[in-house]
Amino acid sequence: MSAPSLSQHTTTLRFLDSADGSPLGCLASWPNHRFTLTDVVDVLRRFGLHVSDHRPLDEPGAHHFTIAPSGTAAPDAGVLDLIADAFVAGAEGRTDIDDFSILVLQEGISWRWVDLIRAAVRFLAQAGIGLSPTYMLGCLTATPGYAAALAALFDARFRPGLPDREAAVAAAASAVAGHIDRAATFDLDRTLRGLRSFVDATLRTNWFQSGGTKPYASFKLDPSALTVGGAIVPLREIYVHSRDVEGVHVRAELVARGGLRFSERPEDYRTEVLGLMATQAVKNAPIVPGGAKGAFVIRPGSTADLTTAYTTFIRGLLDVVDNVVDGAPTTPADTVAYDGADAYLVVAADKGTARMSDTANAVAAEYGYWLGDAFASGGSAGYDHKAMGITARGAWVAVRHRFAELGHDVDTQTFTVAGIGDMSGDVFGNGMLLSDRIRLVAAFDHRHIFLDPDPDPDASHRERARLFALPRSSWADYDPAAISAGGGVWPRTAKAVPLSAAARAALGIDAETQTPDELIKAVLRAPVDLLWNGGVGTYVKASGETHGDAADPANDRVRVDACEVRARIVGEGGNLGFTRAARVEYARHGGRCDGDFIDNAAGVATSDREVNIKIAVDRAVAAGTLAPGQRETLLAAVTDDVAEAVLTASRDQVLALGCSEHDAPALLTQHERLIEDLVRAGRIARDGDGLPPTAEIRERSRAGTGLLRPELAVLLAQSKNVVASELAASSLPDSPACTPWAENYFPAEILARAGSGVAEHPLRREIVVASLADELVNRLGPGALYRFEERFGAATADSARAYVVVSRVLHTEDIRTRILAAGSDARSTLAELSALARVVEAEMAWLLRHTARRTLRDVLAGACDDADTPEALVALFAAPVAAALGDRPSAEACRGAFANAAVALRLGTDPARVAAARDALIDSLHLRWLLDGFATRVRGSYWEAMGAAALRDEISDRLDALVVTALDGGAADPTGRTHRLVRLLDRLRGEDAVDTARLAVIAGELRLLDR
């Protein structure tokens, strides 16, 4: 047979007819000396073809190869065509030619199906199967036919327009199952099952989009369907795989957000992302979306630059989510979807992608994605987090409060700092400029170590500001003249660092010389006022943890134990600087910290508001109520409003933790019940979240201590997530009474100029849910709603309804604002806020008791058609409560307000008269101290607390009855029972102890008085 003509300009591979019994031969050509002869021989070997002879042809770049006979039958013509096609695809950069390429010969499948198998294997390695890709490939080659069967199953599930898909899937699944059943070893079974689960877990793919010609593959997965994985299981995951880039995006909820980072951990980037998503899920508790995170790597050998890799990753994500067209979710063409509507995908900048939001938004615009430039926050038409300094400012709110609790004012009094990061970084740089009283004595980043043993606050602040403004600065740019005696800057590559007496004193060490790694440990252990983390990495673990528990091998050499950290306060502007167990250990040794998900939440909150404001503004533009040219101007005009709202939210969360800590000893038993409930619901893992075991809680109870701040922070955030999910399942967010929680989310100027977009916002309901859940848990503390459920059987929506009514009728936010504006010291402020929370909780309890008993319908009969709706309750109680309390009531004046109003409405009397009668009765019976401090005075077991609460409710009801008696002109007490009760209460007050036995006596005496 004559040799076919070979092109000099394209790569070709053609096998020759060997029907005459001659050895298999092939003709190959490649232009412009693209490959060496050795390269081609190696490529053929990858396909299982071993060259025994070679001769060049007359045509330039053309060669003849003879293939050595193998011990098996020669491949048929169809398989040889598949190998030729794969050879050309590899030469053109459309696929990898590697050890997986043997599957073309063994399985008789195309190179694209080999790409599928390769992608699945690489994903399983990331998912924690514990086997290398090479080992799993060996399992496949030891199971002929399995890879082809798996490809057939994938094809049956996802090929668009396939007739009788159900039968095709069943047949393919049966073939796959047969191979798995015949697996002879555990590792073989684990590999085959893992690959099958990858296909089963896939909900969508872009595999067949654009005719199957995309140079990358995307798979949207339900990770719970995988046979491999760890403790953290996302709700959804998108895996993107190509020759150049590989990565995952994980979501804890369908409506979720989080940054996309360029990972420097190619072997375990998924582990990195899952840890970050778990943190993000807790951090996002106060905002609309749940937690999400993404990371991608550039694969070894790729020549793709970062922007190209990022763009491919973004395309892969958008390929497998819905768009919104004409108001309805629309699935991409040529896509079979096994999940429901999924049209909310937003991303944010992160490590390595800080300036790439415009790139992401350009891709979104190309796709016509409905969110426009709200897809990736922080772009040129968004909020620049570094310019706003918002993440650092949010963390500084927490730092300032922790100092204030110690009686220290960071704006007027100097304080020493050791830091992680450098002045070119957003969080570190902005943070170290937030006070000119900072004395930064030491810091390090991945390049340098900085020491300034005795810094001048003003001069060092000016120098830090200069470095922050200097593009791409490092500690090496710090002016040596501005460094105090004995300090300096050393590269981390130095053999050793000499330490002056001043440096040793500042670091609290004796060594005169240390290696850079030893010196970084000394910085982390320095006896400073503040350890400020504005960098990347996990540097502190608990003493009982291994370095593997920190999941950051790059920093194993410099990591320290939390019990060694001597800083009084830790500010976590960066993520994952401490493990969760490390925070608890640090707090147990007297340190003041909350957690990264508390400290640096302002960044994600800003991004969330940007997205939702843009959606509202774009809707207003589309409706014609806002001119398109005014869009960017309006967004820029509310920048300060957004920052103020975000920082207020950060402050509220920190104050909530302060109040929770204030009441923690008294609420320990109830916090334990909350932990148990959250564990049962799968919201937390007791060990993984650093929460104490039952035995330790018992020990703390005996010692009279409560949960620590990092522990309370976990409960606070997870309580918000639980409350939000349960509110979302109720009708309460649709109530007109909840309108303020939707409107107050937006700046006033947005409401004024884009009000139509706010009114028709597609996430209006979610905004109400997130805002109300955040406020409710912040104001009442973690576990308050759980207590209502246990006491009254009240669902979360019932308790939230009661909160909405109490908050609006009593104007509790105004009272709270007055408390914060009073300028009291931190501890006094926390005490007042805790007192307000107890009043709110008591009034909510009154409402829940009476709505549950339906007594309000009797009290208010005829006043409205349905006295149980929140808007009806607000309307009914607002006027009588206002008449009794006046314009600026204190928290204490609000106690009993709803009971007074109900009595006034029932008797048709002046509400102020009822309030006066109640106050007089409380004072005459010496009951005020008991009612004021009930929540913090009752200690003991769960049953003790429940019994005491029930008796407290009875006391309240008896008091209501006595008020009615007094207003009706009831007779004087002829038996002297009033004096007896007063003596008992005075004695009880002197003992300063409240339990069920004592309360039962008081309730009994009140019952006798009421006869």
Side-chain angles (χ1 to χ4, degrees):
M1 185 177 96
S2 61
S5 175
L6 299 175
S7 168
Q8 297 183 36
H9 304 291
T10 60
T11 298
T12 61
L13 176 67
R14 298 182 184 177
F15 288 94
L16 304 177
D17 187 358
S18 57
D20 57 0
S22 59
L24 179 64
C26 63
L27 300 175
S29 69
W30 54 94
N32 304 324
H33 306 288
R34 181 180 298 174
F35 312 110
T36 67
L37 188 60
T38 302
D39 292 334
V40 176
V41 170
D42 183 63
V43 166
L44 291 172
R45 179 187 64 78
R46 303 277 188 166
F47 290 113
L49 305 176
H50 298 275
V51 174
S52 62
D53 189 26
H54 159 263
R55 58 186 172 83
L57 301 179
D58 293 337
E59 251 182 277
H63 301 261
H64 178 279
F65 296 93
T66 301
I67 307 301
S70 65
T72 59
D76 63 32
V79 172
L80 293 175
D81 287 344
L82 291 173
I83 292 174
D85 188 34
F87 178 91
V88 174
E92 294 176 350
R94 290 182 284 130
T95 189
D96 286 316
I97 303 297
D98 57 14
D99 290 345
F100 281 86
S101 301
I102 190 65
L103 296 176
V104 177
L105 174 67
Q106 174 183 301
E107 303 289 308
I109 57 178
S110 72
W111 60 266
R112 283 206 79 227
W113 291 119
V114 173
D115 277 354
L116 173 73
I117 303 300
R118 183 186 294 109
V121 165
R122 290 185 63 83
F123 177 82
L124 289 182
Q126 287 288 335
I129 195 171
L131 304 171
S132 71
T134 300
Y135 187 91
M136 285 186 275
L137 174 60
C139 291
L140 289 172
T141 57
T143 314
Y146 184 78
L150 194 71
L153 176 60
F154 189 90
D155 187 80
R157 294 194 72 218
F158 293 105
R159 181 176 292 279
L162 189 69
D164 199 0
R165 186 181 306 281
E166 185 176 345
V169 169
S174 176
V176 170
H179 285 288
I180 295 174
D181 291 342
R182 292 188 294 273
T185 68
F186 176 71
D187 281 352
L188 182 59
D189 182 272
R190 185 156 51 129
T191 298
L192 302 186
R193 286 186 190 277
L195 290 167
R196 164 70 189 269
S197 75
F198 176 83
V199 174
D200 289 344
T202 300
L203 302 172
R204 303 184 186 195
T205 179
N206 71 345
W207 192 260
F208 294 102
Q209 292 176 9
S210 303
T213 60
K214 293 192 173 184
Y216 57 90
S218 302
F219 310 87
K220 186 204 281 189
L221 306 167
D222 173 4
S224 67
L226 295 168
T227 58
V228 297
I232 303 173
V233 181
L235 178 69
R236 291 290 182 267
E237 179 166 4
I238 299 175
Y239 171 54
V240 179
H241 178 273
S242 76
R243 292 193 71 196
D244 294 321
V245 64
E246 185 177 314
V248 294
H249 180 268
V250 293
R251 288 182 281 171
E253 300 176 28
L254 284 180
V255 177
R257 67 163 292 107
L260 300 184
R261 64 172 39 200
F262 174 61
S263 176
E264 296 175 344
R265 295 167 57 174
E267 298 302 318
D268 67 342
Y269 62 81
R270 187 174 185 268
T271 299
E272 176 186 22
V273 162
L274 289 177
L276 291 166
M277 184 207 73
T279 297
Q280 196 77 37
V282 183
K283 183 189 302 185
N284 284 18
I287 65 175
V288 174
K293 209 71 178 181
F296 64 97
V297 296
I298 297 176
R299 294 185 59 189
S302 171
T303 59
D305 58 36
L306 181 61
T307 301
T308 300
Y310 179 70
T311 300
T312 298
F313 188 52
I314 293 292
R315 291 182 187 281
L317 301 182
L318 288 171
D319 279 347
V320 290
V321 296
D322 293 332
N323 200 356
V324 175
V325 179
D326 296 328
T330 305
T331 301
D334 300 322
T335 304
V336 176
Y338 289 89
D339 58 341
D342 183 14
Y344 188 91
L345 180 69
V346 295
V347 301
D350 206 303
K351 183 173 75 75
T353 63
R355 298 296 176 185
M356 291 189 172
S357 292
D358 284 342
T359 299
N361 285 330
V363 177
E366 177 188 325
Y367 276 62
Y369 191 57
W370 72 283
L371 284 171
D373 65 359
F375 168 65
S377 58
S380 55
Y383 299 126
D384 185 329
H385 287 205
K386 186 173 183 179
M388 294 173 70
I390 195 65
T391 303
R393 289 164 67 190
W396 204 252
V397 167
V399 167
R400 176 181 281 110
H401 185 76
R402 285 170 209 147
F403 271 109
E405 290 177 329
L406 298 176
H408 195 103
D409 184 349
V410 296
D411 297 317
T412 60
Q413 297 172 278
T414 61
F415 55 103
T416 54
V417 181
I420 303 167
D422 74 289
M423 290 307 299
S424 68
D426 171 12
V427 179
F428 187 91
N430 273 303
M432 290 295 93
L433 295 177
L434 288 172
S435 171
D436 59 10
R437 300 296 86 199
I438 291 172
R439 299 180 68 245
L440 181 64
V441 299
F444 67 89
D445 68 350
H446 60 289
R447 297 165 295 183
H448 300 97
I449 302 172
F450 166 82
L451 294 179
D452 190 4
D454 187 21
D456 175 83
D458 295 316
S460 60
H461 185 271
R462 287 192 297 271
E463 181 60 10
R464 290 195 302 275
R466 185 186 69 82
L467 286 192
F468 185 71
L470 181 67
R472 295 179 297 279
S473 68
S474 75
W475 286 120
D477 296 307
Y478 202 99
D479 183 359
I483 299 177
S484 59
V489 176
W490 290 267
R492 287 183 61 169
T493 55
K495 181 178 180 179
V497 178
L499 298 172
S500 66
R504 296 197 301 273
L507 296 174
I509 58 175
D510 298 323
E512 296 183 358
T513 302
Q514 287 190 325
T515 67
D517 286 351
E518 291 170 339
L519 183 52
I520 287 173
K521 288 184 176 183
V523 172
L524 292 169
R525 298 171 179 141
V528 292
D529 295 314
L530 171 65
L531 175 60
W532 174 252
N533 177 22
V536 177
T538 304
Y539 296 97
V540 184
K541 67 176 184 66
S543 54
E545 291 183 303
T546 67
H547 288 296
D549 293 325
D552 179 22
N555 288 303
D556 285 354
R557 296 182 307 171
V558 299
R559 190 172 299 113
V560 301
D561 289 343
C563 59
E564 300 172 311
V565 176
R566 291 180 285 178
R568 293 201 298 164
I569 291 170
V570 168
E572 294 192 71
N575 284 319
L576 303 178
F578 280 52
T579 66
R580 289 191 176 178
R583 292 187 192 112
V584 173
E585 182 171 289
Y586 171 70
R588 189 179 291 119
H589 284 79
R592 305 288 293 169
C593 72
D594 293 336
D596 52 359
F597 55 90
I598 298 292
D599 288 3
N600 64 34
V604 298
T606 300
S607 296
D608 177 50
R609 288 177 185 268
E610 177 185 331
V611 170
N612 286 316
I613 288 171
K614 283 181 173 178
I615 291 173
V617 169
D618 287 345
R619 291 216 159 206
V621 169
T625 58
L626 181 72
Q630 296 177 338
R631 179 185 188 268
E632 275 68 33
T633 303
L634 177 57
L635 291 172
V638 298
T639 302
D640 290 343
D641 298 313
V642 169
E644 181 181 356
V646 166
L647 295 177
T648 297
S650 295
R651 179 204 65 186
D652 288 349
Q653 192 156 239
V654 173
L655 287 171
L657 281 173
C659 291
S660 296
E661 184 183 33
H662 179 271
D663 297 335
L667 297 177
L668 180 61
T669 300
Q670 295 172 55
H671 285 155
E672 180 186 21
R673 296 281 294 179
L674 176 61
I675 291 171
E676 293 170 351
D677 185 63
L678 291 172
V679 169
R680 280 194 301 271
R683 290 286 181 170
I684 59 173
R686 200 159 192 159
D687 292 337
D689 285 301
L691 294 169
T694 300
E696 185 174 335
I697 286 183
R698 297 288 177 269
E699 199 166 310
R700 293 190 195 183
S701 180
R702 287 190 293 270
T705 61
L707 294 185
L708 301 166
R709 282 182 74 107
E711 297 164 340
L712 291 166
V714 172
L715 293 189
L716 186 85
Q718 293 294 7
S719 293
K720 291 178 184 180
N721 287 331
V722 171
V723 170
S725 64
E726 294 179 357
L727 283 180
S730 76
S731 61
L732 180 63
D734 305 312
S735 167
C738 292
T739 298
W741 281 271
E743 294 183 347
N744 293 344
Y745 177 90
F746 294 94
E749 193 165 356
I750 296 294
L751 288 171
R753 299 176 60 188
S756 62
V758 172
E760 299 174 4
H761 202 289
L763 295 176
R764 181 189 183 281
R765 198 174 194 278
E766 288 79 0
I767 290 170
V768 169
V769 166
S771 300
L772 181 54
D774 180 50
E775 181 179 314
L776 203 160
V777 177
N778 278 347
R779 302 301 184 260
L780 300 182
L785 268 60
Y786 184 61
R787 294 195 292 275
F788 287 136
E789 180 183 351
E790 292 196 314
R791 289 175 61 188
F792 310 120
T796 293
D798 296 328
S799 297
R801 178 188 61 175
Y803 177 80
V804 167
V805 174
V806 170
S807 173
R808 292 195 60 185
V809 169
L810 298 183
H811 301 286
T812 55
E813 289 302 286
D814 293 341
I815 298 173
R816 188 171 181 275
T817 298
R818 291 196 292 273
I819 291 172
L820 295 174
S824 301
D825 64 83
R827 294 193 178 277
S828 298
T829 298
L830 291 178
E832 289 187 63
L833 291 175
S834 292
L836 174 60
R838 290 194 292 272
V839 169
V840 172
E841 190 169 342
E843 296 306 292
M844 288 171 61
W846 188 93
L847 269 178
L848 288 168
R849 290 203 319 278
H850 288 80
T851 52
R853 298 174 189 169
R854 307 186 70 79
T855 53
L856 277 184
R857 288 182 181 272
D858 300 332
V859 171
L860 310 172
C864 65
D865 294 333
D866 189 352
D868 288 350
T869 63
E871 53 270 27
L873 289 171
V874 170
L876 285 165
F877 281 104
V881 167
L885 296 181
D887 293 334
R888 295 170 61 85
S890 66
E892 174 52 33
C894 294
R895 186 181 299 280
F898 280 83
N900 290 339
V903 170
L905 288 167
R906 189 173 71 185
L907 300 181
T909 189
D910 180 4
R913 179 169 172 255
V914 179
R918 177 181 295 273
D919 286 342
L921 186 61
I922 289 173
D923 289 337
S924 68
L925 295 177
H926 296 196
L927 268 172
R928 193 172 301 280
W929 73 272
L930 179 63
L931 298 176
D932 288 354
F934 175 82
T936 56
R937 287 192 173 94
V938 177
R939 306 282 177 101
S941 70
Y942 161 74
W943 295 109
E944 178 75 21
M946 288 290 287
L951 288 167
R952 166 66 174 79
D953 292 340
E954 183 177 351
I955 290 171
S956 177
D957 288 344
R958 293 297 168 188
L959 191 58
D960 291 349
L962 289 171
V963 169
V964 173
T965 300
L967 289 169
D968 284 343
D973 172 21
T975 63
R977 289 194 181 109
T978 299
H979 296 298
R980 172 182 166 80
L981 176 58
V982 168
R983 286 196 302 271
L984 285 172
L985 284 165
D986 288 345
R987 180 178 176 183
L988 186 58
R989 185 175 187 178
E991 295 172 356
D992 196 27
V994 177
D995 57 20
T996 51
R998 292 174 171 87
L999 286 171
V1001 172
I1002 301 303
E1005 291 295 324
L1006 283 170
R1007 195 180 307 119
L1008 291 173
L1009 274 180
D1010 186 31
R1011 287 181 178 177

